[in-house]
Amino acid sequence: MEPVRTCIGCRSRAPRSSLLRIVAQYPRVVADTSAVLPGRGAWLHPTLECFRLAQRRRAFGRALRVSGDLDTSEVENRLNG
């Protein structure tokens, strides 16, 4: 049975393989495509809709347990294509 994670944007549960792991490398948030970067990770559907929901809910800092502003532009650029 495949592990299940919760998307920080839409809060729905999904298999780990269908989500994108993100990690804080302060002050940036980076996409961890191979899921091996050190540090606390959070999971996000690889869609702009879930990304925008996570931004609006201020979920990045809360999920990654980082205070202060985080630069999420790298993840946004990756999702834009």
Side-chain angles (χ1 to χ4, degrees):
M1 184 170 184
E2 188 173 8
V4 176
R5 302 288 185 258
T6 301
C7 172
I8 65 170
C10 65
R11 304 294 300 158
S12 65
R13 295 169 51 93
R16 179 180 161 174
S17 61
S18 68
L19 298 171
L20 175 66
R21 182 174 187 254
I22 57 170
V23 177
Q25 292 183 340
Y26 195 78
R28 299 179 307 134
V29 174
V30 296
D32 183 10
T33 55
S34 55
V36 296
L37 287 176
R40 183 171 184 84
W43 298 86
L44 180 72
H45 281 112
T47 64
L48 280 174
E49 180 181 349
C50 282
F51 175 79
R52 301 255 188 264
L53 281 170
Q55 274 187 319
R56 190 171 69 227
R57 296 177 57 244
R58 297 186 181 109
F60 290 104
R62 194 169 41 253
L64 298 170
R65 296 185 181 169
V66 175
S67 59
D69 291 332
L70 291 170
D71 178 16
T72 58
S73 61
E74 184 177 324
V75 175
E76 184 175 17
N77 291 339
R78 185 184 189 293
L79 296 176
N80 279 330

